[in-house]
């Protein structure tokens, strides 16, 4: 009998990593990475399957994605469709999945222990939440049901997901690139799928779509194509036993690893072409795509990183510095993008200014001149050594990431041909210099091996085609011969031909050299920072890292001044000022960025925020440079005009975001004492001139209060020096506390019911959105807060299941608590093609339904929700950045509740079921006379196109004839004599467009069997039960929409009219 093989158990890992690792291979060839983390409070697992959209049938795009959705809908061992998500929700967990070109990734997270004590051990108990989750998870790959009753619903979810992305430029431009690739390569596929590709078109061809999905799963899912990662508190031997037992049933079909070596995404036909694309948002991009080699096996040297480091550099001598000085560009990135095993693209992407759009050909020539410069210098070992050193430092001091991020990423990495003991470090660390490898990599960046894409709403203006799946307007043509000749000349240029402005980068002075950490024994990490200075001018908070022991630090600084957002005009000026400072610092700060030290400069309602984080060695050096640049900024008119135009475009593009990303801004605005909307900012930008910013920013810096948090590998004296540095550099006057902004929210009075309606600006968007908000009370009421959090926990899974899965209202559904500056409430967000008035009705109905469920909830289930919430609130921070963010959130909002999570737990524990019923009936129930509601409706201007396009749809009479014929064949197959005329008669009163369609069909079937075919009652009942299961497949295949039966929906309670 075959046994489990231990492949590796001594993985190369970061210096402070206290986890234990083991790689095993089961007898069925499923490979797993087991991770024992004694301190984790979240367990997780991920399965990555080596199959994705590239394996879709050409005539049924989206199959892999649809199978990903359908796999969640019940298994033979756990047939209830949402059993998995219910289990996870009850144990502080969640799940998700994604489908990419060559893989499908499934993952979940769950509490590491069933105890409310976050540090409790599971001691290998099969009662562990992880064991129960793994058992359910494994069944997806052993015996999924592909339930007929869920098929149409999940295909509609896929369709809704696709419609969510129809106006997203990221999706649109990516699909355009794919649609204009070689049809011989699966890169050409439409990966998401929709109702047309997955249901309607196949049905017309006579395809049984459920059978096709089952066949896809059978043909492509195999144990030897699966990589599993399991992270838990359990010992490795225990995890190995669980995995060996639970995943043994996954069938190994010995399928080969998917590769595409014999065909390229771009054939000769696609090369040396330029594509002009019109975006939804006002953006200008120039992309240069070079077909490139597959570097999977080059994990030790990764030559593309040498290319991207030089071409994507932003410091002096770089492409960006040169074209930015000409006023042609705002940003540049470069790097390799793997397509699949067998091929990749090396891409140079440039953000253009208006002037840059006119000079795009010259920019392409400059890019090729720089490539020529790189080629004419032999590969520089000092550059690789510098990069290699930083990758080693970054890996050595890598901190933990959230559990699902870790497992999902690692299961994907396991598909690569890495040595198993390098799984953690393999793609992160450059191990050696390879001059020949770099030279070969450069050989792909040629003047005969590229394609251009130019994105602009205005240029050239004569787009003559539309992309099939997203409707993107575009034009494609051969690159003109004169332009080609200029590029060839640039690619062969010498130092004499090139401008002296282009040269290789200098050595990076920001590379950290002091990487020591003053580690001391601590009984327990401190839960809050210390206030080490508190006077009229400054408040300084500090905490020496006593948890993660990495040579890193974060400094958060607020320069408090209400002028930053006193009016829409000053808000715009403050924003432009910050953008001008960042623009001036770009070349200098880039070295710091690639050496692991970054900064942010932003304007907020309280003033200006400076955030600096990374390796602590040279943090103060960067901060001083930022402060001096802020103080001495020269507002150059040419750069101001470019940045002003960029800010204008950003404000105009705001209306083209997805509706669910906009709705919260209106809710916040309506609840704020003082605030403004995007359109008010927009009106203030156009009149501004460079001299307005020059005159404004000294006022902003003249008077302020300084608030600072220094956290990490930093001593108390250094923390005090940070605020001293701010004071001595800016020399501001003290801002009296009486002038500090007071944080206030508007209160909704008891019994109020307000609705705010806004028409969305994107005329092509088909999705409406609603945020349904119920005011609960003050943030200072900790008991009320605990009940609100518990309500969010209790409604999370049931809300998703009811509103998205069952009622199919839309792909985007959120429920839970919402916190503002001083108040809190409960909210539901839905983005949907259905009208907002209907969505409001369905939310009311859901809340009424939940009231009855809460009433009948068992004490065990209620305590389970409390335990799940407590586990979530006690979740530990995973790294220094998370802890810094937690501290700064409390400081910046001036609540200073550094142990808020522990306070929440203390207040959740005594809550009883009756407390929650009283809370719900008072604040939440739609019929409550005391509740206070604000509903924000985002109204779409467009309506969705029918999924079947322009083709004629069968009439209801024709559909009914087809249905009766299918049922007649079904009866015959069961040995029941069929009188087709009599069966047709029984269906005369069945309304195929009615809400109660399936009950009407089943009634007609029962009547026919009882009165016409004389089938015994017991047999008839069994046939009806089986027939009900078949309807989910049969009706969609006949083109008959399955309506949501209003009788099956929660009834809409009677509520008062809105204001």
């Amino acid at each position: 009998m075959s046994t489990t093989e231990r492949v590796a158990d001594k993985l190369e890992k970061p210096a402070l990593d206290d986890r234990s690792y083991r790689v095993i291979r089961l007898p069925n060839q499923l490979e797993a990475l087991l991770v024992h983390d004694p301190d984790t409070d979240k367990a997780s697992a991920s399965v990555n399957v080596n199959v994705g959209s590239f394996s879709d049938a050409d005539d049924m795009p989206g199959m892999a994605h649809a199978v990903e959705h359908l796999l969640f809908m019940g298994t033979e061992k756990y047939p209830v469709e949402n059993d998995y998500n219910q289990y996870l929700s009850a144990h502080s967990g969640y799940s998700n999945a994604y489908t990419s070109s060559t893989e499908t990734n499934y993952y979940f997270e769950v509490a590491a222990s069933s105890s409310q004590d976050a540090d409790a051990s599971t001691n290998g108990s099969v009662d562990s939440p992880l064991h129960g989750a793994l058992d359910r998870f494994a069944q997806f790959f052993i015996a999924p049901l592909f339930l007929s009753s869920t098929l149409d619903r999940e295909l509609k979810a896929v369709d809704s997901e696709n419609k969510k992305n129809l106006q997203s430029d990221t999706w649109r431009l990516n699909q355009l690139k794919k649609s204009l690739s070689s049809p011989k390569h699966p890169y050409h596929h439409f990966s998401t799928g929709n109702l047309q590709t997955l249901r309607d078109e196949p049905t017309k061809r006579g395809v049984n779509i459920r059978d096709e999905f089952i066949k896809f799963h059978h043909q492509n899912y195999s144990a030897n194509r699966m990589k599993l990662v399991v992270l838990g508190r359990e010992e490795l031997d225990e995890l190995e036993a669980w995995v060996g037992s639970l995943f043994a049933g996954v069938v190994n079909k010995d399928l080969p690893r998917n590769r595409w070596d014999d065909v390229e995404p771009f054939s000769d036909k696609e090369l040396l072409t330029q594509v002009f694309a019109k975006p939804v948002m006002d953006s200008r991009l120039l992309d240069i795509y070079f077909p490139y080699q597959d570097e999977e096996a080059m994990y030790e040297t990764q030559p593309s990183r040498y290319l991207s480091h030089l071409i994507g550099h932003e410091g002096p001598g770089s492409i960006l510095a040169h074209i930015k000085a000409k006023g042609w560009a705002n940003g540049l990135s470069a790097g390799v993008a793997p397509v699949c095993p067998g091929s990749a693209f090396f891409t140079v992407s440039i953000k253009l200014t208006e002037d840059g759009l006119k000079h795009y050909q010259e920019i392409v020539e400059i890019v090729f001149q720089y490539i020529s410069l790189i080629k004419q210098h032999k590969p520089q070992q000092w550059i690789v050594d510098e990069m290699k050193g930083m990758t080693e430092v970054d890996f050595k001091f890598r901190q933990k990431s959230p559990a699902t991020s870790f497992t999902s990423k690692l299961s994907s990495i396991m598909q690569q041909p890495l040595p198993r003991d390098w799984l953690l470090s393999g793609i992160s660390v450059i191990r050696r210099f390879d001059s020949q490898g770099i030279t070969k990599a450069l050989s792909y960046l040629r003047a005969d091996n590229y394609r251009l894409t130019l994105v602009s709403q205005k240029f050239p203006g004569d787009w003559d085609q539309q992309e099939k799946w997203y409707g993107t307007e575009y034009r494609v043509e051969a690159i003109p011969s004169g332009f080609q000749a200029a590029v060839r000349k640039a690619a062969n240029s010498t130092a004499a031909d090139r401008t002296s402005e282009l040269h290789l980068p200098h050595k990076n002075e920001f590379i950290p050299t002091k990487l020591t950490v003053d580690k001391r024994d601590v009984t327990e990490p401190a839960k809050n920072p210390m206030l080490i200075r508190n006077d009229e001018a400054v408040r300084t908070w500090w905490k020496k890292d006593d948890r993660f022991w990495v040579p890193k630090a974060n400094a958060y600084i607020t320069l408090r001044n209400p002028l930053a957002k006193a009016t829409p005009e000053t808000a715009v000026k403050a924003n432009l000022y910050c953008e001008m400072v960042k623009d001036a610092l770009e070349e200098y700060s880039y070295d710091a960025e690639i050496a692991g030290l970054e900064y942010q400069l932003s304007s907020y309602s309280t003033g200006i925020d400076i955030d600096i984080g990374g390796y602590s060695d040279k943090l103060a050096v960067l901060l001083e440079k930022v402060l001096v640049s802020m103080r001495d900024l020269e507002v150059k008119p040419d750069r101001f005009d470019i940045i002003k135009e960029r800010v204008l475009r950003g404000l105009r593009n705001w209306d083209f975001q997805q509706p669910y990303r906009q709705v919260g801004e209106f809710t916040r605005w309506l609840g704020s004492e003082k605030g403004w909307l995007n359109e008010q900012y927009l009106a203030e930008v156009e009149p501004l001139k460079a001299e307005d910013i020059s005159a404004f920013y000294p006022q902003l810096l003249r008077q302020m209060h300084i608030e600072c948090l220094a956290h990490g590998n930093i001593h108390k004296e250094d923390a005090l020096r940070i605020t001293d540095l701010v004071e001595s550099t800016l020399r501001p006057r003290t801002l009296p506390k009486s002038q500090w902004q007071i944080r206030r929210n508007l209160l909704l009075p008891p019994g109020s019911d307000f609705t705010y309606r806004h028409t969305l600006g994107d005329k092509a968007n088909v999705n409406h959105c609603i945020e349904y908000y119920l005011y609960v009370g003050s943030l200072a009421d900790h008991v009320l807060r605990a009940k609100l959090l518990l309500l969010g926990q209790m409604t999370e899974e049931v809300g998703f299941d009811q509103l998205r899965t069952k009622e199919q209202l839309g792909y985007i559904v959120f429920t839970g608590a919402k916190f503002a500056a001083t108040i809190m409430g409960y909210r539901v967000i839905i983005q949907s093609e259905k009208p907002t008035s209907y969505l409001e009705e369905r939310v009311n109905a859901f809340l009424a339904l939940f009231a009855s469920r809460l009433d009948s909830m068992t004490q065990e289930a209620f305590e389970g929700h409390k335990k799940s919430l407590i586990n979530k609130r006690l979740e530990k921070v995973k790294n220094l950045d998370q802890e810094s963010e937690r501290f700064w959130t409390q400081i910046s909002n001036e609540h200073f509740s550094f142990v808020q999570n522990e306070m929440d737990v203390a207040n959740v524990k005594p809550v009883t079921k009756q407390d929650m019923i009283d809370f719900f009936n008072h604040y939440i129930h739609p019929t409550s006379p005391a509740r206070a509601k604000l509903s924000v409706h985002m109204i779409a201007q467009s309506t969705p196109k029918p999924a079947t396009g322009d083709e004629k749809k069968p009439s209801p009479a024709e559909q009914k004839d087809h249905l009766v014929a299918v049922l007649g064949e079904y009866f015959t197959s069961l040995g029941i004599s069929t009188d087709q005329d009599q069966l047709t008669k029984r269906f005369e009163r069945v309304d195929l467009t009615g809400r109660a369609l399936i009950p009407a069909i089943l009634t007609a079937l029962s009547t026919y069997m009882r009165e016409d075919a004389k089938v015994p009652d017991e047999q008839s009942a069994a046939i009806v039960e089986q027939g009900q299961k078949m309807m989910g497949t049969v009706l969609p295949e006949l083109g008959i929409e399955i309506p949501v039966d209003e009788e099956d929906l929660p009834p809409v309670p009677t509520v008062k009219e809105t204001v």
Side-chain angles (χ1 to χ4, degrees):
M1 180 179 176
S2 299
T3 58
T4 296
E5 175 190 0
R6 292 187 178 176
V7 179
D9 59 4
K10 293 190 183 301
L11 273 64
E12 185 175 50
K13 62 182 185 178
L16 298 173
D17 190 343
D18 59 355
R19 291 167 169 167
S20 302
Y21 299 91
R22 181 182 296 166
V23 181
I24 62 172
R25 187 177 293 114
L26 303 187
N28 61 5
Q29 299 303 298
L30 185 150
E31 191 178 41
L33 169 63
L34 312 176
V35 187
H36 163 58
D37 186 340
D39 297 322
T40 188
D41 46 20
K42 290 292 186 181
S44 177
S46 172
V47 165
N48 188 286
V49 189
N50 175 220
V51 62
S53 62
F54 279 13
S55 299
D56 289 347
D58 290 339
D59 60 355
M60 208 167 168
M63 286 185 72
H65 185 210
V67 168
E68 172 224 304
H69 274 250
L70 291 163
L71 226 57
F72 285 90
M73 297 293 112
T75 61
E76 288 182 11
K77 186 172 182 179
Y78 298 101
V80 177
E81 67 180 66
N82 65 332
D83 175 89
Y84 172 62
N85 285 324
Q86 281 183 335
Y87 180 88
L88 295 179
S89 179
H91 294 88
S92 312
Y94 72 94
S95 71
N96 211 333
Y98 68 81
T99 303
S100 68
S101 301
T102 61
E103 59 187 49
T104 307
N105 194 297
Y106 303 85
Y107 56 91
F108 71 80
E109 180 177 287
V110 73
S113 168
S114 57
S115 169
Q116 291 182 7
D117 177 3
D119 294 317
S121 171
T122 61
N123 296 317
S125 169
V126 293
D127 292 331
S128 158
L130 175 59
H131 185 275
L134 277 175
D135 188 16
R136 289 160 175 80
F137 190 54
Q139 293 301 312
F140 294 154
F141 313 102
I142 297 171
L145 290 176
F146 290 94
L147 291 169
S148 299
S149 58
T150 68
L151 182 62
D152 202 55
R153 282 206 321 254
E154 286 308 305
L155 293 184
K156 287 179 179 176
V158 170
D159 189 66
S160 180
E161 183 177 353
N162 178 60
K163 285 175 177 169
K164 170 181 71 71
N165 299 325
L166 288 179
Q167 290 300 101
S168 165
D169 280 327
T170 300
W171 286 85
R172 291 165 69 90
L173 295 173
N174 186 52
Q175 185 60 51
L176 178 63
K177 177 183 168 189
K178 293 166 64 176
S179 294
L180 294 178
S181 66
S182 171
K184 295 180 180 179
H185 195 285
Y187 184 71
H188 187 76
H189 284 174
F190 166 50
S191 58
T192 309
N194 57 29
L195 280 178
Q196 181 180 351
T197 67
L198 294 169
R199 188 191 69 183
D200 299 340
E201 293 298 333
T203 299
K204 289 176 187 175
R205 299 194 301 268
V207 173
N208 183 311
I209 54 177
R210 178 172 179 266
D211 287 351
E212 287 299 306
F213 295 130
I214 293 172
K215 184 166 72 174
F216 181 91
H217 183 271
H218 178 73
Q219 291 178 343
N220 293 284
Y221 277 58
S222 172
N224 72 306
R225 280 186 172 178
M226 296 180 189
K227 307 298 180 184
L228 167 67
V229 179
V230 180
L231 165 69
R233 282 190 190 170
E234 292 75 14
E235 297 291 339
L236 292 176
D237 288 348
E238 190 70 27
L239 293 175
E240 181 176 324
W242 286 358
V243 168
S245 169
L246 297 175
F247 287 85
V250 182
V251 177
N252 177 25
K253 300 158 190 171
D254 285 319
L255 299 178
R257 184 172 184 245
N258 277 317
R259 289 193 66 86
W260 290 266
D261 292 308
D262 55 347
V263 63
E264 290 294 330
F266 287 174
S267 67
D268 290 343
K269 178 183 176 183
E270 285 80 39
L271 293 174
L272 297 181
T273 58
Q274 54 185 7
V275 179
F276 300 94
K278 183 180 180 182
V280 171
M281 291 192 176
D282 188 2
S283 60
R284 294 182 295 269
L285 295 171
L286 170 62
D287 291 328
I288 309 173
Y289 299 107
F290 297 93
Y292 189 73
Q293 65 187 349
D294 175 12
E295 284 191 352
E296 261 197 346
M298 304 177 195
Y299 45 81
E300 291 190 69
T301 57
Q302 303 176 54
S304 65
R305 291 175 71 169
Y306 181 87
L307 276 59
S308 59
H309 175 75
L310 295 178
I311 296 172
H313 210 281
E314 298 177 10
S318 65
I319 297 170
L320 179 61
H322 182 48
I323 59 179
K324 183 181 169 185
K326 289 178 172 290
W328 293 350
N330 287 316
L332 182 150
S333 61
V336 70
V339 172
C340 60
S343 58
F345 290 116
F346 189 91
T347 304
V348 181
S349 186
I350 302 168
K351 295 179 180 178
L352 301 176
T353 64
E354 284 187 293
D355 203 29
L357 195 62
K358 302 170 188 174
H359 295 275
Y360 83 93
Q361 294 186 357
E362 293 166 70
I363 293 173
V364 174
E365 292 170 34
I366 290 169
V367 170
F368 275 92
Q369 285 180 2
Y370 196 86
I371 292 170
S372 173
L373 182 153
I374 300 172
K375 289 179 177 180
Q376 287 168 18
H377 287 78
K378 69 177 185 178
Q380 302 291 297
Q381 183 162 355
W382 75 265
I383 293 177
V384 174
D385 287 345
E386 195 174 83
M387 296 167 60
K388 176 176 175 288
M390 277 310 305
T391 65
E392 291 168 348
V393 168
D394 287 341
F395 179 71
K396 180 179 180 180
F397 296 109
R398 180 189 291 171
Q399 300 169 78
K400 292 179 181 178
S401 56
T404 50
S405 299
F406 175 83
T407 57
S408 177
K409 180 179 180 180
L410 261 293
S411 66
S412 176
I413 289 173
M414 288 179 73
Q415 295 288 1
Q416 299 183 31
L418 290 164
R420 300 294 94 172
D421 53 350
W422 285 0
L423 283 176
L424 302 178
S425 60
I427 63 171
S428 303
V429 177
I430 298 174
R431 297 176 187 274
R432 60 185 175 86
F433 171 65
D434 179 7
S435 180
Q436 289 184 341
I438 291 170
T439 300
K440 182 182 177 184
L442 280 165
S443 72
Y444 290 90
L445 309 190
R446 304 190 310 269
D448 63 348
N449 187 49
Y450 71 97
R451 183 171 82 178
L452 302 179
T453 298
L454 198 67
V455 178
S456 168
Q457 282 193 338
K458 299 175 182 178
F459 181 82
D462 56 347
W463 309 278
D464 55 4
Q465 297 185 67
Q466 272 197 332
E467 194 276 322
K468 178 179 180 179
W469 302 110
Y470 289 82
T472 304
E473 293 182 69
Y474 73 95
R475 193 181 92 202
V476 60
E477 63 186 25
I479 294 176
S481 58
F483 184 15
Q484 285 194 46
V487 169
R488 285 195 298 271
K489 181 180 178 182
N492 294 306
S493 62
T494 64
D497 305 322
R498 287 189 300 269
T499 172
S500 60
E501 297 297 318
L502 295 177
H503 56 79
L504 295 181
H506 51 68
K507 291 190 176 182
N508 191 342
E509 300 301 324
F510 272 99
I511 298 292
T513 54
K514 297 178 182 177
L515 295 169
T516 55
V517 177
D518 182 16
K519 186 174 181 180
R520 302 174 183 178
D521 291 333
V522 292
T523 306
E524 183 182 359
K527 296 178 180 178
N528 55 271
M530 295 173 58
L531 184 58
I532 58 174
R533 179 178 170 185
N534 186 14
D535 53 45
E536 291 183 350
V538 174
R539 210 157 49 189
T540 304
W541 302 81
W542 163 76
K543 183 192 172 189
K544 172 74 174 69
D545 174 38
D546 55 2
R547 188 189 296 267
F548 303 106
W549 310 114
V550 289
K552 295 184 176 183
N554 292 307
Y556 296 83
I557 304 164
T558 289
L559 310 179
R560 186 177 278 110
N561 186 330
L563 183 62
K565 276 206 174 177
T567 67
E569 181 187 10
T570 63
V572 166
K573 287 179 178 178
N575 181 37
L576 281 165
Y577 164 64
C578 291
E579 293 300 313
M580 292 293 299
V581 173
K582 288 188 286 187
D583 184 70
L585 278 169
E586 192 163 37
E587 288 185 31
Y588 177 87
S589 64
Y590 184 73
D591 274 352
E593 182 182 332
I594 59 179
L597 183 61
E598 298 185 56
Y599 83 101
Q600 292 291 328
L601 184 67
S602 310
S603 62
Y604 292 98
S605 58
T606 49
I608 302 296
D609 274 16
I610 309 167
D611 303 339
I612 299 186
Y615 292 105
S616 53
D617 181 18
K618 296 181 172 67
L619 186 147
V621 176
L622 180 58
L623 174 59
E624 183 174 14
K625 182 67 174 180
V626 172
L627 292 168
V628 170
S629 298
M630 292 174 67
R631 183 194 66 196
D632 299 339
L633 177 68
E634 179 187 354
V635 184
K636 299 177 181 178
D638 57 338
R639 292 308 301 168
F640 172 79
D641 290 342
I642 289 170
I643 291 168
K644 172 184 166 181
E645 190 275 335
R646 189 174 72 199
V647 169
L648 269 171
R649 279 191 293 123
L651 291 169
R652 289 172 183 147
N653 287 336
W654 192 89
D655 283 341
F656 292 88
Q657 297 179 97
Q658 293 208 37
Y660 80 94
R661 296 189 182 279
Q662 299 182 43
V663 68
E665 192 66 27
F666 287 90
T667 311
R668 282 189 290 272
W669 171 65
L670 290 164
S672 299
E673 179 190 19
K674 183 174 72 172
W676 300 277
L677 291 173
N678 188 68
E679 61 198 50
Q680 293 166 297
Y681 295 134
L682 193 55
E684 298 295 338
V685 179
E686 192 63 57
L688 292 177
K689 295 180 172 56
E691 49 266 33
D692 295 321
I693 306 304
S694 297
F696 172 75
Y697 85 78
Q699 301 174 45
L700 196 60
L701 302 182
R702 186 174 298 141
Q703 188 176 27
M704 66 180 69
H705 174 267
I706 302 165
E707 182 114 50
C708 175
L709 166 68
H711 175 224
N713 186 39
I714 191 166
H715 291 283
K716 180 178 179 180
E717 297 75 16
D718 297 321
L720 290 168
R721 286 191 195 102
I722 286 176
T723 38
D724 289 344
L725 181 61
V726 177
E727 282 189 292
S728 62
T729 305
L730 300 180
R731 298 188 177 278
R733 289 169 46 222
T734 299
L735 180 75
K737 203 163 187 176
S738 60
Q739 294 183 34
W740 293 16
Q741 180 189 359
I742 299 174
R743 301 169 188 274
R744 297 204 290 186
N745 286 111
L746 301 179
L747 306 182
L748 297 179
S752 60
D753 192 347
F754 298 101
T755 299
Y756 179 85
R757 295 177 178 85
H758 172 76
T759 301
L760 290 159
D762 183 359
K763 293 181 180 179
N765 167 65
V766 299
N767 287 304
H768 308 281
C769 186
I770 181 174
E771 179 165 10
Y772 180 112
Y773 172 76
L774 300 171
Y775 167 74
V776 168
S778 167
L779 276 179
D781 190 329
H782 298 295
V783 174
L784 211 53
R785 174 187 166 96
K787 294 174 183 176
L788 175 61
L789 289 169
L790 185 53
L791 176 64
Q793 158 65 31
M794 296 167 79
T795 59
E796 181 180 25
E797 189 280 329
V798 68
F800 187 88
D801 182 58
Q802 182 64 40
L803 298 172
R804 178 181 147 172
T805 305
K806 288 189 169 66
E807 298 194 27
Q808 289 289 299
L809 296 181
Y811 185 75
I812 301 295
V813 174
F814 298 131
T815 61
K818 181 183 178 78
F819 300 102
T822 62
I823 62 172
M824 57 188 174
Y826 179 82
R827 62 96 177 266
V828 179
I829 291 180
I830 304 173
Q831 181 172 292
S832 172
E833 296 172 34
K834 295 179 171 60
T836 53
S837 56
Y838 179 73
L839 299 179
E840 178 121 5
E841 285 183 1
R842 298 320 309 154
V843 175
N844 283 331
F846 162 67
L847 294 176
L849 170 69
F850 181 76
S852 63
R853 291 191 180 181
L854 178 58
D855 238 13
S856 59
M857 186 178 293
T858 65
Q859 190 61 33
E860 181 183 8
F862 178 75
E863 292 299 328
H865 280 298
K866 286 173 61 178
K867 182 176 70 175
S868 185
L869 174 60
I870 287 169
N871 284 334
K872 288 178 181 177
R873 301 310 291 170
L874 292 178
E875 183 174 352
K876 299 172 184 175
V877 288
K878 301 296 187 294
N879 50 57
L880 183 75
D881 289 346
Q882 282 190 0
E883 187 171 51
S884 296
E885 285 288 343
R886 183 177 286 186
F887 291 156
W888 186 243
T889 297
Q890 293 298 330
I891 293 169
S892 61
N893 64 28
E894 295 185 270
H895 291 156
F896 309 115
S897 300
F898 298 111
V899 291
Q900 180 66 62
N901 288 0
E902 294 178 24
M903 292 169 60
D904 290 338
V905 169
N907 285 292
V908 166
K909 285 181 176 179
V911 175
T912 66
K913 177 183 166 183
Q914 189 58 51
D915 291 336
M916 287 304 297
I917 291 173
D918 294 343
F919 169 83
F920 188 90
N921 289 339
H922 182 83
Y923 292 101
I924 310 298
H925 201 290
T927 61
S928 167
R931 80 167 190 164
K933 180 172 76 71
L934 168 64
S935 193
V936 179
H937 293 204
M938 311 293 280
I939 315 296
Q941 298 189 53
S942 187
T943 54
K945 297 177 182 178
T948 51
D950 298 328
E951 297 184 30
K952 181 182 178 184
K953 184 178 178 180
S955 68
E958 291 171 324
Q959 290 175 330
K960 189 181 292 186
D961 288 343
H962 294 157
L963 175 61
V964 171
V966 169
L967 293 173
E969 292 173 4
Y970 176 59
F971 282 139
T972 301
S973 71
L974 295 175
I976 298 172
S977 60
T978 307
D979 183 335
Q980 206 69 27
D981 291 337
Q982 194 63 29
L983 185 58
T984 300
K985 186 175 180 181
R986 293 297 180 190
F987 272 77
E988 284 179 353
R989 294 187 180 181
V990 174
D991 179 6
L992 296 189
T993 63
R995 285 281 180 191
L997 172 59
I998 291 179
I1001 292 173
L1002 298 178
T1003 298
L1005 285 177
S1006 298
T1007 303
Y1008 173 80
M1009 286 188 288
R1010 184 179 66 251
E1011 299 185 8
D1012 302 321
K1014 308 300 181 184
V1015 177
D1017 288 349
E1018 186 175 340
Q1019 184 185 3
S1020 174
I1023 292 171
V1024 168
E1025 183 179 355
Q1026 181 62 30
Q1028 184 169 8
K1029 294 178 181 178
M1030 290 170 52
M1031 289 300 114
T1033 302
V1034 172
L1035 296 180
E1037 289 182 352
L1038 296 174
I1040 301 170
E1041 290 281 338
I1042 302 177
V1044 179
D1045 189 347
E1046 293 288 0
E1047 294 180 6
D1048 291 339
L1049 292 179
V1052 180
T1054 302
V1055 294
K1056 53 188 177 297
E1057 293 184 2
T1058 61
V1059 179

